[in-house]
Amino acid sequence: MTYTETVEWMFQQLPMYQQVGSKAYKVDLSNIKKLISRLQDPHQNFKTIHVAGTNGKGSVSHMLASILQEAGYKVGLYTSPHLKDFRERIKINGKMIAEAAVIDFIETNKVFFEQESLSFFEMTVGMAFEYFSEEKVDIAVIEVGLGGRLDSTNIISPEVSVITNIGFDHVAILGNTLPQIAAEKGGIIKPNTPVVIGEYQEETFPVFKKLAEANQAPFHLAEEYRGRLYNSDLKGHYQQKNVRTVSMALEVLKQKGWQISKEAIEKGFKNVIFNTGLRGRWEVLQESPRVICDTAHNKEGLVYAMKQLEEEEAEELHIVVGVVNDKDLNAVLPLFPKRAKYYFSRPNVPRGLDAVELQKKAIENGLFGEVYNSVPEAYEAALLQASTKDVIYVGGSTFTVAEII
């Protein structure tokens, strides 16, 4: 198979949360353990950092990878979802896995995948771990896909576990209270392994504290970090919390003997995009009119994004928005500015919410605009209607952003 055919097979043959939602979520780790055993435990051949959380885990993972890269280490980075190319999920020092490596891994294990009914995410985790092992990375930053306790990545023994924050996302899978969700994400806390909690939340802090104590895991709260906070090239206001979380995690790593200089930290924070290729975090695509895209998609993320958007100097706001069908619109739509002109569209994935349905719910919340057949069509309409002094914001879903960058 060609690379395109291989990726198409992966998307079509196996459950993929990015496409179909909760029915792709596995409720145990048996399959990933079978695969990892077949691959001869590649995850044991390199050090890791494990990152979970509702918001910020992608940015935190990329920041950590960038800084460790600047410190001279060969760094693997496993994240999800991807925006444009599947290979974005698996990188070493910012370079995506080779197409040939993807093809080879699938062809070598295809019969096994079919026999054992492995999910898209399970085989992707196996691919990443084997690739990092073969390429002899010094350390890999591993972002949790969904939850933590039952996530396929949760077979590693990391140097440090990081949990950014907890919000109401994927409640059908993880639970509908913050303590329930925290217990799932806190499942990455390992015996005698330091854990960094990115944000103090009254409802979730006792859950993490109890899990840490049960595992005799050294416990660190990012808000207690008292060292220097560096500027990052990731410009969303919400990144300030992520910088603090990363800074605390770096302190833990240095205590464990990792050589990370102040210069590496400063350069790493300043060059996250260049070093790792991260896209879609308060990314300015053009000026006149100013176009900003951001992947914030739940209440906790959108609170920050919408506040920052309101601070933009604009004669008029144009918002291109599309969401997935399991989104709690009653929680997120009230956050959007009523003065904006809206361009409703459906992301091009099976989970995409019909644009007419989105418009109907938006009108109930005092948000008005037109429906378009696709995200690109909505974006083109916004570009045509915006003046040079206006601001266009594209968001609501990772998938909406992916279609215009």
Side-chain angles (χ1 to χ4, degrees), residues 32 35-36 39 42-43 46 78 80 86 89-90 105 119-132 142-143 145 151-156:
I32 189 62
L35 175 57
I36 240 47
L39 300 175
H43 61 303
F46 51 89
Y78 177 75
S80 61
F86 165 79
R89 294 169 179 253
I90 304 171
F105 182 80
S119 74
F120 171 91
F121 194 76
E122 286 164 344
M123 64 178 177
T124 304
V125 169
M127 182 189 300
F129 289 174
E130 181 172 89
Y131 184 64
F132 294 155
I142 308 297
E143 180 192 358
D151 189 77
S152 297
T153 63
N154 201 27
I155 56 171
I156 57 177

PDB file of all heavy atoms in Angstrom, residues 32 35-36 39 42-43 46 78 80 86 89-90 105 119-132 142-143 145 151-156:
ATOM      1  N   ILE A  32      -3.752  -3.076  24.098  1.00  0.00           N
ATOM      2  CA  ILE A  32      -2.458  -2.406  23.970  1.00  0.00           C
ATOM      3  C   ILE A  32      -1.369  -3.255  24.618  1.00  0.00           C
ATOM      4  O   ILE A  32      -0.234  -3.303  24.136  1.00  0.00           O
ATOM      5  CB  ILE A  32      -2.500  -0.977  24.559  1.00  0.00           C
ATOM      6  CG1 ILE A  32      -1.210  -0.211  24.224  1.00  0.00           C
ATOM      7  CG2 ILE A  32      -2.738  -0.998  26.048  1.00  0.00           C
ATOM      8  CD1 ILE A  32      -0.951   0.010  22.763  1.00  0.00           C
ATOM      9  N   LEU A  35      -0.413  -5.877  22.090  1.00  0.00           N
ATOM     10  CA  LEU A  35       0.397  -5.305  21.013  1.00  0.00           C
ATOM     11  C   LEU A  35       1.807  -5.008  21.493  1.00  0.00           C
ATOM     12  O   LEU A  35       2.783  -5.331  20.819  1.00  0.00           O
ATOM     13  CB  LEU A  35      -0.259  -4.031  20.480  1.00  0.00           C
ATOM     14  CG  LEU A  35       0.540  -3.253  19.435  1.00  0.00           C
ATOM     15  CD1 LEU A  35       0.871  -4.123  18.226  1.00  0.00           C
ATOM     16  CD2 LEU A  35      -0.204  -1.993  18.991  1.00  0.00           C
ATOM     17  N   ILE A  36       1.925  -4.406  22.666  1.00  0.00           N
ATOM     18  CA  ILE A  36       3.233  -4.012  23.171  1.00  0.00           C
ATOM     19  C   ILE A  36       4.081  -5.238  23.441  1.00  0.00           C
ATOM     20  O   ILE A  36       5.295  -5.236  23.247  1.00  0.00           O
ATOM     21  CB  ILE A  36       3.046  -3.114  24.423  1.00  0.00           C
ATOM     22  CG1 ILE A  36       3.655  -1.719  24.208  1.00  0.00           C
ATOM     23  CG2 ILE A  36       3.736  -3.658  25.630  1.00  0.00           C
ATOM     24  CD1 ILE A  36       3.418  -0.980  23.029  1.00  0.00           C
ATOM     25  N   LEU A  39       5.423  -6.443  20.213  1.00  0.00           N
ATOM     26  CA  LEU A  39       6.508  -5.569  19.758  1.00  0.00           C
ATOM     27  C   LEU A  39       7.743  -5.637  20.661  1.00  0.00           C
ATOM     28  O   LEU A  39       8.703  -4.908  20.446  1.00  0.00           O
ATOM     29  CB  LEU A  39       6.009  -4.117  19.687  1.00  0.00           C
ATOM     30  CG  LEU A  39       4.823  -3.842  18.748  1.00  0.00           C
ATOM     31  CD1 LEU A  39       4.362  -2.401  18.884  1.00  0.00           C
ATOM     32  CD2 LEU A  39       5.189  -4.164  17.299  1.00  0.00           C
ATOM     33  N   PRO A  42       8.722  -2.043  23.498  1.00  0.00           N
ATOM     34  CA  PRO A  42       9.602  -0.945  23.077  1.00  0.00           C
ATOM     35  C   PRO A  42       9.570   0.246  24.033  1.00  0.00           C
ATOM     36  O   PRO A  42      10.546   0.999  24.129  1.00  0.00           O
ATOM     37  CB  PRO A  42       9.041  -0.558  21.702  1.00  0.00           C
ATOM     38  CG  PRO A  42       7.606  -0.994  21.736  1.00  0.00           C
ATOM     39  CD  PRO A  42       7.610  -2.248  22.549  1.00  0.00           C
ATOM     40  N   HIS A  43       8.470   0.430  24.760  1.00  0.00           N
ATOM     41  CA  HIS A  43       8.331   1.581  25.656  1.00  0.00           C
ATOM     42  C   HIS A  43       9.290   1.535  26.831  1.00  0.00           C
ATOM     43  O   HIS A  43       9.460   2.540  27.531  1.00  0.00           O
ATOM     44  CB  HIS A  43       6.889   1.675  26.172  1.00  0.00           C
ATOM     45  CG  HIS A  43       6.441   0.502  26.965  1.00  0.00           C
ATOM     46  ND1 HIS A  43       6.460  -0.786  26.462  1.00  0.00           N
ATOM     47  CD2 HIS A  43       5.971   0.397  28.245  1.00  0.00           C
ATOM     48  CE1 HIS A  43       6.016  -1.621  27.387  1.00  0.00           C
ATOM     49  NE2 HIS A  43       5.711  -0.930  28.475  1.00  0.00           N
ATOM     50  N   PHE A  46      13.192   3.708  26.513  1.00  0.00           N
ATOM     51  CA  PHE A  46      13.441   5.151  26.582  1.00  0.00           C
ATOM     52  C   PHE A  46      12.659   5.728  27.759  1.00  0.00           C
ATOM     53  O   PHE A  46      11.675   5.137  28.224  1.00  0.00           O
ATOM     54  CB  PHE A  46      13.050   5.858  25.280  1.00  0.00           C
ATOM     55  CG  PHE A  46      11.650   5.530  24.792  1.00  0.00           C
ATOM     56  CD1 PHE A  46      10.548   6.287  25.200  1.00  0.00           C
ATOM     57  CD2 PHE A  46      11.421   4.460  23.934  1.00  0.00           C
ATOM     58  CE1 PHE A  46       9.275   5.989  24.772  1.00  0.00           C
ATOM     59  CE2 PHE A  46      10.140   4.142  23.499  1.00  0.00           C
ATOM     60  CZ  PHE A  46       9.061   4.911  23.914  1.00  0.00           C
ATOM     61  N   TYR A  78       4.581  12.355  21.241  1.00  0.00           N
ATOM     62  CA  TYR A  78       3.363  11.675  20.784  1.00  0.00           C
ATOM     63  C   TYR A  78       2.156  12.469  21.242  1.00  0.00           C
ATOM     64  O   TYR A  78       1.953  12.679  22.446  1.00  0.00           O
ATOM     65  CB  TYR A  78       3.278  10.254  21.333  1.00  0.00           C
ATOM     66  CG  TYR A  78       1.988   9.576  20.921  1.00  0.00           C
ATOM     67  CD1 TYR A  78       1.829   9.113  19.626  1.00  0.00           C
ATOM     68  CD2 TYR A  78       0.925   9.440  21.810  1.00  0.00           C
ATOM     69  CE1 TYR A  78       0.637   8.524  19.218  1.00  0.00           C
ATOM     70  CE2 TYR A  78      -0.273   8.852  21.415  1.00  0.00           C
ATOM     71  CZ  TYR A  78      -0.403   8.400  20.114  1.00  0.00           C
ATOM     72  OH  TYR A  78      -1.589   7.830  19.708  1.00  0.00           O
ATOM     73  N   SER A  80      -2.175  13.897  20.084  1.00  0.00           N
ATOM     74  CA  SER A  80      -3.367  13.682  19.266  1.00  0.00           C
ATOM     75  C   SER A  80      -4.396  14.760  19.602  1.00  0.00           C
ATOM     76  O   SER A  80      -4.332  15.349  20.685  1.00  0.00           O
ATOM     77  CB  SER A  80      -3.950  12.284  19.539  1.00  0.00           C
ATOM     78  OG  SER A  80      -4.334  12.159  20.907  1.00  0.00           O
ATOM     79  N   PHE A  86      -1.673  12.605   9.501  1.00  0.00           N
ATOM     80  CA  PHE A  86      -1.585  11.636  10.590  1.00  0.00           C
ATOM     81  C   PHE A  86      -0.214  11.653  11.271  1.00  0.00           C
ATOM     82  O   PHE A  86      -0.094  11.499  12.485  1.00  0.00           O
ATOM     83  CB  PHE A  86      -1.868  10.227  10.039  1.00  0.00           C
ATOM     84  CG  PHE A  86      -1.455   9.122  10.960  1.00  0.00           C
ATOM     85  CD1 PHE A  86      -2.241   8.779  12.050  1.00  0.00           C
ATOM     86  CD2 PHE A  86      -0.257   8.443  10.757  1.00  0.00           C
ATOM     87  CE1 PHE A  86      -1.841   7.771  12.924  1.00  0.00           C
ATOM     88  CE2 PHE A  86       0.141   7.433  11.615  1.00  0.00           C
ATOM     89  CZ  PHE A  86      -0.655   7.097  12.710  1.00  0.00           C
ATOM     90  N   ARG A  89       1.214  13.196  14.721  1.00  0.00           N
ATOM     91  CA  ARG A  89       1.073  12.562  16.030  1.00  0.00           C
ATOM     92  C   ARG A  89       2.400  12.012  16.559  1.00  0.00           C
ATOM     93  O   ARG A  89       2.551  11.854  17.774  1.00  0.00           O
ATOM     94  CB  ARG A  89       0.067  11.403  15.939  1.00  0.00           C
ATOM     95  CG  ARG A  89      -1.352  11.838  15.641  1.00  0.00           C
ATOM     96  CD  ARG A  89      -2.223  10.639  15.294  1.00  0.00           C
ATOM     97  NE  ARG A  89      -3.606  11.046  15.025  1.00  0.00           N
ATOM     98  CZ  ARG A  89      -4.645  10.840  15.837  1.00  0.00           C
ATOM     99  NH1 ARG A  89      -4.446  10.207  16.986  1.00  0.00           N
ATOM    100  NH2 ARG A  89      -5.852  11.244  15.525  1.00  0.00           N
ATOM    101  N   ILE A  90       3.318  11.705  15.681  1.00  0.00           N
ATOM    102  CA  ILE A  90       4.552  11.026  16.081  1.00  0.00           C
ATOM    103  C   ILE A  90       5.742  11.792  15.507  1.00  0.00           C
ATOM    104  O   ILE A  90       5.971  11.792  14.295  1.00  0.00           O
ATOM    105  CB  ILE A  90       4.567   9.564  15.565  1.00  0.00           C
ATOM    106  CG1 ILE A  90       3.325   8.818  16.063  1.00  0.00           C
ATOM    107  CG2 ILE A  90       5.844   8.848  16.002  1.00  0.00           C
ATOM    108  CD1 ILE A  90       3.131   7.440  15.427  1.00  0.00           C
ATOM    109  N   PHE A 105       5.038  -0.371   9.437  1.00  0.00           N
ATOM    110  CA  PHE A 105       4.441  -0.815  10.700  1.00  0.00           C
ATOM    111  C   PHE A 105       3.070  -1.449  10.462  1.00  0.00           C
ATOM    112  O   PHE A 105       2.748  -2.497  11.030  1.00  0.00           O
ATOM    113  CB  PHE A 105       4.313   0.361  11.665  1.00  0.00           C
ATOM    114  CG  PHE A 105       3.759  -0.020  13.010  1.00  0.00           C
ATOM    115  CD1 PHE A 105       4.565  -0.588  13.978  1.00  0.00           C
ATOM    116  CD2 PHE A 105       2.408   0.188  13.297  1.00  0.00           C
ATOM    117  CE1 PHE A 105       4.053  -0.952  15.220  1.00  0.00           C
ATOM    118  CE2 PHE A 105       1.886  -0.172  14.530  1.00  0.00           C
ATOM    119  CZ  PHE A 105       2.710  -0.738  15.490  1.00  0.00           C
ATOM    120  N   SER A 119      -8.000  -0.929  18.124  1.00  0.00           N
ATOM    121  CA  SER A 119      -8.533   0.373  17.744  1.00  0.00           C
ATOM    122  C   SER A 119      -7.462   1.191  17.039  1.00  0.00           C
ATOM    123  O   SER A 119      -6.266   0.909  17.146  1.00  0.00           O
ATOM    124  CB  SER A 119      -9.019   1.142  18.981  1.00  0.00           C
ATOM    125  OG  SER A 119      -7.913   1.614  19.729  1.00  0.00           O
ATOM    126  N   PHE A 120      -7.909   2.232  16.361  1.00  0.00           N
ATOM    127  CA  PHE A 120      -7.002   3.165  15.698  1.00  0.00           C
ATOM    128  C   PHE A 120      -5.970   3.688  16.692  1.00  0.00           C
ATOM    129  O   PHE A 120      -4.779   3.734  16.410  1.00  0.00           O
ATOM    130  CB  PHE A 120      -7.820   4.318  15.113  1.00  0.00           C
ATOM    131  CG  PHE A 120      -7.007   5.455  14.577  1.00  0.00           C
ATOM    132  CD1 PHE A 120      -6.614   5.473  13.251  1.00  0.00           C
ATOM    133  CD2 PHE A 120      -6.618   6.513  15.395  1.00  0.00           C
ATOM    134  CE1 PHE A 120      -5.849   6.521  12.744  1.00  0.00           C
ATOM    135  CE2 PHE A 120      -5.864   7.559  14.903  1.00  0.00           C
ATOM    136  CZ  PHE A 120      -5.487   7.558  13.578  1.00  0.00           C
ATOM    137  N   PHE A 121      -6.437   4.090  17.863  1.00  0.00           N
ATOM    138  CA  PHE A 121      -5.531   4.705  18.831  1.00  0.00           C
ATOM    139  C   PHE A 121      -4.541   3.691  19.387  1.00  0.00           C
ATOM    140  O   PHE A 121      -3.355   4.003  19.575  1.00  0.00           O
ATOM    141  CB  PHE A 121      -6.334   5.338  19.976  1.00  0.00           C
ATOM    142  CG  PHE A 121      -5.514   6.261  20.836  1.00  0.00           C
ATOM    143  CD1 PHE A 121      -5.178   7.534  20.392  1.00  0.00           C
ATOM    144  CD2 PHE A 121      -5.062   5.864  22.079  1.00  0.00           C
ATOM    145  CE1 PHE A 121      -4.417   8.393  21.173  1.00  0.00           C
ATOM    146  CE2 PHE A 121      -4.303   6.714  22.870  1.00  0.00           C
ATOM    147  CZ  PHE A 121      -3.978   7.985  22.421  1.00  0.00           C
ATOM    148  N   GLU A 122      -4.991   2.480  19.635  1.00  0.00           N
ATOM    149  CA  GLU A 122      -4.094   1.449  20.173  1.00  0.00           C
ATOM    150  C   GLU A 122      -2.932   1.180  19.235  1.00  0.00           C
ATOM    151  O   GLU A 122      -1.769   1.128  19.656  1.00  0.00           O
ATOM    152  CB  GLU A 122      -4.878   0.165  20.436  1.00  0.00           C
ATOM    153  CG  GLU A 122      -5.780   0.247  21.650  1.00  0.00           C
ATOM    154  CD  GLU A 122      -6.832  -0.837  21.697  1.00  0.00           C
ATOM    155  OE1 GLU A 122      -7.088  -1.492  20.659  1.00  0.00           O
ATOM    156  OE2 GLU A 122      -7.422  -1.019  22.778  1.00  0.00           O
ATOM    157  N   MET A 123      -3.232   1.019  17.953  1.00  0.00           N
ATOM    158  CA  MET A 123      -2.125   0.714  17.043  1.00  0.00           C
ATOM    159  C   MET A 123      -1.234   1.929  16.816  1.00  0.00           C
ATOM    160  O   MET A 123      -0.037   1.789  16.578  1.00  0.00           O
ATOM    161  CB  MET A 123      -2.635   0.151  15.720  1.00  0.00           C
ATOM    162  CG  MET A 123      -3.460   1.055  14.878  1.00  0.00           C
ATOM    163  SD  MET A 123      -3.915   0.200  13.344  1.00  0.00           S
ATOM    164  CE  MET A 123      -4.950   1.441  12.599  1.00  0.00           C
ATOM    165  N   THR A 124      -1.804   3.131  16.938  1.00  0.00           N
ATOM    166  CA  THR A 124      -0.994   4.340  16.788  1.00  0.00           C
ATOM    167  C   THR A 124      -0.013   4.476  17.947  1.00  0.00           C
ATOM    168  O   THR A 124       1.145   4.863  17.757  1.00  0.00           O
ATOM    169  CB  THR A 124      -1.897   5.577  16.694  1.00  0.00           C
ATOM    170  OG1 THR A 124      -2.823   5.400  15.623  1.00  0.00           O
ATOM    171  CG2 THR A 124      -1.086   6.826  16.436  1.00  0.00           C
ATOM    172  N   VAL A 125      -0.468   4.163  19.158  1.00  0.00           N
ATOM    173  CA  VAL A 125       0.420   4.181  20.326  1.00  0.00           C
ATOM    174  C   VAL A 125       1.546   3.171  20.140  1.00  0.00           C
ATOM    175  O   VAL A 125       2.726   3.473  20.378  1.00  0.00           O
ATOM    176  CB  VAL A 125      -0.369   3.877  21.618  1.00  0.00           C
ATOM    177  CG1 VAL A 125       0.578   3.634  22.794  1.00  0.00           C
ATOM    178  CG2 VAL A 125      -1.310   5.024  21.942  1.00  0.00           C
ATOM    179  N   GLY A 126       1.204   1.976  19.687  1.00  0.00           N
ATOM    180  CA  GLY A 126       2.225   0.963  19.430  1.00  0.00           C
ATOM    181  C   GLY A 126       3.231   1.416  18.391  1.00  0.00           C
ATOM    182  O   GLY A 126       4.445   1.211  18.534  1.00  0.00           O
ATOM    183  N   MET A 127       2.743   2.065  17.340  1.00  0.00           N
ATOM    184  CA  MET A 127       3.613   2.589  16.293  1.00  0.00           C
ATOM    185  C   MET A 127       4.583   3.615  16.862  1.00  0.00           C
ATOM    186  O   MET A 127       5.791   3.582  16.569  1.00  0.00           O
ATOM    187  CB  MET A 127       2.769   3.233  15.179  1.00  0.00           C
ATOM    188  CG  MET A 127       3.572   3.775  14.017  1.00  0.00           C
ATOM    189  SD  MET A 127       2.569   4.753  12.848  1.00  0.00           S
ATOM    190  CE  MET A 127       1.362   3.554  12.297  1.00  0.00           C
ATOM    191  N   ALA A 128       4.074   4.517  17.682  1.00  0.00           N
ATOM    192  CA  ALA A 128       4.922   5.562  18.265  1.00  0.00           C
ATOM    193  C   ALA A 128       6.006   4.955  19.146  1.00  0.00           C
ATOM    194  O   ALA A 128       7.183   5.322  19.039  1.00  0.00           O
ATOM    195  CB  ALA A 128       4.064   6.529  19.080  1.00  0.00           C
ATOM    196  N   PHE A 129       5.616   4.024  20.008  1.00  0.00           N
ATOM    197  CA  PHE A 129       6.582   3.444  20.937  1.00  0.00           C
ATOM    198  C   PHE A 129       7.666   2.655  20.203  1.00  0.00           C
ATOM    199  O   PHE A 129       8.847   2.735  20.560  1.00  0.00           O
ATOM    200  CB  PHE A 129       5.866   2.556  21.954  1.00  0.00           C
ATOM    201  CG  PHE A 129       5.039   3.332  22.963  1.00  0.00           C
ATOM    202  CD1 PHE A 129       4.230   2.666  23.867  1.00  0.00           C
ATOM    203  CD2 PHE A 129       5.063   4.718  23.002  1.00  0.00           C
ATOM    204  CE1 PHE A 129       3.469   3.366  24.800  1.00  0.00           C
ATOM    205  CE2 PHE A 129       4.306   5.429  23.918  1.00  0.00           C
ATOM    206  CZ  PHE A 129       3.503   4.749  24.820  1.00  0.00           C
ATOM    207  N   GLU A 130       7.271   1.910  19.172  1.00  0.00           N
ATOM    208  CA  GLU A 130       8.277   1.171  18.408  1.00  0.00           C
ATOM    209  C   GLU A 130       9.216   2.134  17.678  1.00  0.00           C
ATOM    210  O   GLU A 130      10.439   1.931  17.655  1.00  0.00           O
ATOM    211  CB  GLU A 130       7.605   0.231  17.406  1.00  0.00           C
ATOM    212  CG  GLU A 130       8.631  -0.583  16.613  1.00  0.00           C
ATOM    213  CD  GLU A 130       7.998  -1.656  15.760  1.00  0.00           C
ATOM    214  OE1 GLU A 130       7.647  -1.360  14.593  1.00  0.00           O
ATOM    215  OE2 GLU A 130       7.872  -2.801  16.241  1.00  0.00           O
ATOM    216  N   TYR A 131       8.661   3.190  17.109  1.00  0.00           N
ATOM    217  CA  TYR A 131       9.469   4.164  16.378  1.00  0.00           C
ATOM    218  C   TYR A 131      10.454   4.870  17.303  1.00  0.00           C
ATOM    219  O   TYR A 131      11.645   5.007  16.982  1.00  0.00           O
ATOM    220  CB  TYR A 131       8.540   5.181  15.706  1.00  0.00           C
ATOM    221  CG  TYR A 131       9.234   6.199  14.834  1.00  0.00           C
ATOM    222  CD1 TYR A 131       9.926   5.804  13.691  1.00  0.00           C
ATOM    223  CD2 TYR A 131       9.183   7.558  15.150  1.00  0.00           C
ATOM    224  CE1 TYR A 131      10.547   6.743  12.887  1.00  0.00           C
ATOM    225  CE2 TYR A 131       9.800   8.497  14.343  1.00  0.00           C
ATOM    226  CZ  TYR A 131      10.487   8.084  13.212  1.00  0.00           C
ATOM    227  OH  TYR A 131      11.105   9.025  12.409  1.00  0.00           O
ATOM    228  N   PHE A 132       9.992   5.289  18.464  1.00  0.00           N
ATOM    229  CA  PHE A 132      10.876   5.955  19.418  1.00  0.00           C
ATOM    230  C   PHE A 132      11.986   5.020  19.888  1.00  0.00           C
ATOM    231  O   PHE A 132      13.131   5.442  20.082  1.00  0.00           O
ATOM    232  CB  PHE A 132      10.084   6.461  20.624  1.00  0.00           C
ATOM    233  CG  PHE A 132       9.103   7.557  20.305  1.00  0.00           C
ATOM    234  CD1 PHE A 132       7.979   7.756  21.117  1.00  0.00           C
ATOM    235  CD2 PHE A 132       9.280   8.396  19.215  1.00  0.00           C
ATOM    236  CE1 PHE A 132       7.076   8.761  20.829  1.00  0.00           C
ATOM    237  CE2 PHE A 132       8.382   9.403  18.919  1.00  0.00           C
ATOM    238  CZ  PHE A 132       7.268   9.586  19.732  1.00  0.00           C
ATOM    239  N   ILE A 142       4.685  11.991  26.148  1.00  0.00           N
ATOM    240  CA  ILE A 142       3.523  11.213  25.710  1.00  0.00           C
ATOM    241  C   ILE A 142       2.248  11.876  26.209  1.00  0.00           C
ATOM    242  O   ILE A 142       1.988  11.930  27.410  1.00  0.00           O
ATOM    243  CB  ILE A 142       3.599   9.760  26.249  1.00  0.00           C
ATOM    244  CG1 ILE A 142       4.954   9.110  25.905  1.00  0.00           C
ATOM    245  CG2 ILE A 142       2.431   8.951  25.719  1.00  0.00           C
ATOM    246  CD1 ILE A 142       5.227   8.944  24.432  1.00  0.00           C
ATOM    247  N   GLU A 143       1.449  12.367  25.273  1.00  0.00           N
ATOM    248  CA  GLU A 143       0.178  12.990  25.632  1.00  0.00           C
ATOM    249  C   GLU A 143      -0.920  11.934  25.685  1.00  0.00           C
ATOM    250  O   GLU A 143      -1.073  11.125  24.763  1.00  0.00           O
ATOM    251  CB  GLU A 143      -0.203  14.066  24.609  1.00  0.00           C
ATOM    252  CG  GLU A 143      -1.517  14.752  24.916  1.00  0.00           C
ATOM    253  CD  GLU A 143      -2.039  15.601  23.763  1.00  0.00           C
ATOM    254  OE1 GLU A 143      -1.362  15.698  22.727  1.00  0.00           O
ATOM    255  OE2 GLU A 143      -3.140  16.164  23.914  1.00  0.00           O
ATOM    256  N   GLY A 145      -4.470  10.348  25.232  1.00  0.00           N
ATOM    257  CA  GLY A 145      -5.488  10.586  24.225  1.00  0.00           C
ATOM    258  C   GLY A 145      -6.804  11.041  24.831  1.00  0.00           C
ATOM    259  O   GLY A 145      -7.348  12.082  24.495  1.00  0.00           O
ATOM    260  N   ASP A 151      -6.483   4.905  29.229  1.00  0.00           N
ATOM    261  CA  ASP A 151      -5.920   5.339  27.958  1.00  0.00           C
ATOM    262  C   ASP A 151      -4.783   4.403  27.555  1.00  0.00           C
ATOM    263  O   ASP A 151      -4.016   3.931  28.401  1.00  0.00           O
ATOM    264  CB  ASP A 151      -5.389   6.772  28.087  1.00  0.00           C
ATOM    265  CG  ASP A 151      -4.995   7.360  26.756  1.00  0.00           C
ATOM    266  OD1 ASP A 151      -5.894   7.756  26.000  1.00  0.00           O
ATOM    267  OD2 ASP A 151      -3.789   7.418  26.473  1.00  0.00           O
ATOM    268  N   SER A 152      -4.654   4.152  26.268  1.00  0.00           N
ATOM    269  CA  SER A 152      -3.646   3.202  25.779  1.00  0.00           C
ATOM    270  C   SER A 152      -2.220   3.623  26.096  1.00  0.00           C
ATOM    271  O   SER A 152      -1.317   2.789  26.124  1.00  0.00           O
ATOM    272  CB  SER A 152      -3.796   3.016  24.263  1.00  0.00           C
ATOM    273  OG  SER A 152      -5.040   2.449  23.960  1.00  0.00           O
ATOM    274  N   THR A 153      -2.009   4.908  26.341  1.00  0.00           N
ATOM    275  CA  THR A 153      -0.660   5.368  26.685  1.00  0.00           C
ATOM    276  C   THR A 153      -0.283   4.996  28.124  1.00  0.00           C
ATOM    277  O   THR A 153       0.885   5.092  28.503  1.00  0.00           O
ATOM    278  CB  THR A 153      -0.534   6.895  26.543  1.00  0.00           C
ATOM    279  OG1 THR A 153      -1.428   7.531  27.476  1.00  0.00           O
ATOM    280  CG2 THR A 153      -0.876   7.341  25.133  1.00  0.00           C
ATOM    281  N   ASN A 154      -1.255   4.561  28.913  1.00  0.00           N
ATOM    282  CA  ASN A 154      -1.030   4.387  30.357  1.00  0.00           C
ATOM    283  C   ASN A 154      -0.359   3.061  30.705  1.00  0.00           C
ATOM    284  O   ASN A 154      -0.737   2.387  31.668  1.00  0.00           O
ATOM    285  CB  ASN A 154      -2.341   4.535  31.128  1.00  0.00           C
ATOM    286  CG  ASN A 154      -2.105   4.875  32.587  1.00  0.00           C
ATOM    287  OD1 ASN A 154      -1.087   5.473  32.944  1.00  0.00           O
ATOM    288  ND2 ASN A 154      -3.052   4.502  33.443  1.00  0.00           N
ATOM    289  N   ILE A 155       0.633   2.707  29.917  1.00  0.00           N
ATOM    290  CA  ILE A 155       1.448   1.518  30.211  1.00  0.00           C
ATOM    291  C   ILE A 155       2.904   1.919  30.467  1.00  0.00           C
ATOM    292  O   ILE A 155       3.739   1.070  30.731  1.00  0.00           O
ATOM    293  CB  ILE A 155       1.390   0.505  29.042  1.00  0.00           C
ATOM    294  CG1 ILE A 155       1.828   1.158  27.734  1.00  0.00           C
ATOM    295  CG2 ILE A 155      -0.013  -0.083  28.906  1.00  0.00           C
ATOM    296  CD1 ILE A 155       2.002   0.198  26.588  1.00  0.00           C
ATOM    297  N   ILE A 156       3.169   3.224  30.421  1.00  0.00           N
ATOM    298  CA  ILE A 156       4.542   3.693  30.605  1.00  0.00           C
ATOM    299  C   ILE A 156       4.840   3.950  32.081  1.00  0.00           C
ATOM    300  O   ILE A 156       3.936   4.091  32.901  1.00  0.00           O
ATOM    301  CB  ILE A 156       4.812   4.981  29.787  1.00  0.00           C
ATOM    302  CG1 ILE A 156       3.826   6.100  30.172  1.00  0.00           C
ATOM    303  CG2 ILE A 156       4.738   4.687  28.295  1.00  0.00           C
ATOM    304  CD1 ILE A 156       4.078   7.421  29.466  1.00  0.00           C
TER     305      ILE A 156
END
